[in-house]
């Protein structure tokens, strides 16, 4: 059984909602070497678990409702998804899907922060432990927000995070890092002014890789689409890609802290 307390108020799961689960599974298997198994149990609606060496690293499921653009979702761990919903509302967020059981695997809920970015909660039960931090596993989450001044106090109130903001390089825009005690939770920044006006606030998912350039080439060869080619930043190197169905994600190699 998963230890729910170990990931309380931290990233506890990531999953992809996609228009073609089988095609997405084939793509990510090629890029990251995942082993992806779709559940035969009809109650899970064709949801698949991706693993590396037997450890759960991500989920892949069909978009709901059909026709919704594919996207990666970030889940924050909790021991009480229902109580967390009340905190979200009190802090100015919106409940999109009240807490509900996901078979015997756990309990989840879906929220919008005050800047209209989706964030979900995961209260694990029988689901295996989330393996993150290694190569080809989840590495970082980053909020791109159209109202960062409202989003920061929301996350601090709901999840108990603290934040620190600093320029991205000399003369660069401010980058905010969320922390829980000594743990680095994720980043946040104002939406890029070049983003189309219809682009909503969103959480981006980064996956660690041993070689950003090699993984980037593999993703494009597998049918992915270039969004941002491999680029150095003060903390390492990264690139953005969208998968063949259109879901965006990032490849990341961090310089050891």
């Amino acid at each position: 059984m998963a230890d729910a307390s170990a990931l309380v108020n931290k990233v506890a799961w990531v999953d992809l909602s996609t228009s073609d689960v089988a095609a997405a599974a084939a793509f990510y298997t090629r890029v990251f070497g995942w082993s992806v198994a779709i559940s035969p149990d009809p109650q899970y609606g064709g949801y698949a678990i991706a693993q590396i060496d037997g450890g759960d690293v991500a989920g892949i499921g069909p978009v709901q409702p059909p026709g919704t653009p594919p996207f990666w979702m970030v889940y924050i761990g909790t021991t009480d998804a229902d109580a967390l919903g009340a905190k979200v509302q009190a802090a100015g967020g919106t409940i999109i899907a009240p807490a509900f059981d996901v078979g015997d695997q756990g309990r989840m809920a879906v929220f919008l922060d005050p800047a209209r970015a989706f964030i979900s909660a995961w209260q694990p039960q029988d689901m295996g432990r989330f393996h993150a931090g290694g190569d080809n596993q989840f590495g970082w989450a980053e909020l791109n927000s159209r109202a960062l001044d409202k989003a920061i106090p929301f996350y601090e109130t709901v999840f108990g995070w603290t934040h620190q903001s600093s320029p991205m390089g000399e003369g660069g825009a401010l980058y905010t890092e969320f922390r829980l005690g000594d743990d680095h939770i994720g980043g946040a920044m104002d939406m890029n002014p070049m983003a189309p006006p219809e682009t909503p606030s969103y959480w981006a998912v980064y996956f660690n890789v041993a070689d950003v350039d090699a993984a980037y080439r593999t993703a494009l060869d597998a049918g992915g689409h270039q969004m941002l080619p491999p680029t150095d930043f003060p903390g390492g190197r990264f690139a953005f890609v969208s998968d063949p169905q259109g879901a965006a994600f990032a490849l990341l190699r961090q310089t050891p802290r």
Side-chain angles (χ1 to χ4, degrees):
M1 181 178 292
D3 181 0
S5 63
L7 290 175
V8 169
N9 296 329
K10 304 174 186 177
V11 177
W13 189 242
V14 292
D15 70 11
L16 170 68
S17 294
T18 183
S19 55
D20 191 331
V21 172
F27 171 81
Y28 289 99
T29 294
R30 183 169 172 186
V31 175
F32 296 127
W34 293 349
S35 174
V36 182
I38 299 175
S39 174
D41 191 331
Q43 72 174 315
Y44 297 118
Y47 193 84
I49 298 293
Q51 296 185 327
I52 293 179
D53 297 329
D56 296 349
V57 295
I60 302 175
V63 291
Q64 300 292 336
T68 303
F71 64 97
W72 278 95
M73 177 73 84
V74 173
Y75 293 74
I76 306 300
T78 182
T79 56
D80 190 335
D82 298 84
L84 187 62
K87 290 183 68 174
V88 164
Q89 286 187 307
T94 304
I95 297 176
I96 299 300
F100 62 94
D101 291 326
V102 182
D104 59 1
Q105 300 303 298
R107 194 162 171 79
M108 68 170 285
V110 182
F111 312 122
L112 282 175
D113 72 20
R116 309 297 290 176
F118 281 98
I119 190 73
S120 290
W122 180 241
Q123 179 184 335
Q125 184 177 335
D126 286 350
M127 190 170 178
R129 184 170 69 86
F130 180 41
H131 289 250
D135 286 346
N136 301 314
Q137 300 174 6
F138 168 78
W140 191 244
E142 186 174 81
L143 175 64
N144 291 259
S145 181
R146 292 197 176 277
L148 196 56
D149 59 329
K150 296 179 180 178
I152 289 174
F154 168 83
Y155 289 102
E156 292 186 328
T157 298
V158 174
F159 299 120
W161 298 347
T162 60
H163 81 280
Q164 181 176 348
S165 299
S166 57
M168 291 187 284
E170 186 175 351
L174 286 179
Y175 188 82
T176 295
E177 184 176 358
F178 290 118
R179 293 187 182 184
L180 183 67
D182 293 331
D183 292 326
H184 301 270
I185 300 299
M189 58 186 178
D190 289 309
M191 183 74 70
N192 189 316
M194 296 181 66
E198 64 273 15
T199 303
S201 300
Y202 66 95
W203 279 92
V205 173
Y206 288 67
F207 292 100
N208 290 335
V209 292
D211 185 326
V212 171
D213 296 75
Y216 177 77
R217 290 192 297 269
T218 299
L220 297 189
D221 289 345
H225 305 285
Q226 173 181 308
M227 297 184 71
L228 179 69
T231 303
D232 290 326
F233 72 104
R237 190 166 175 82
F238 76 110
F240 266 95
V241 181
S242 66
D243 66 27
Q245 288 70 48
F249 65 98
L251 306 165
L252 176 67
R253 185 66 180 175
Q254 298 186 69
T255 302
R257 293 179 183 270

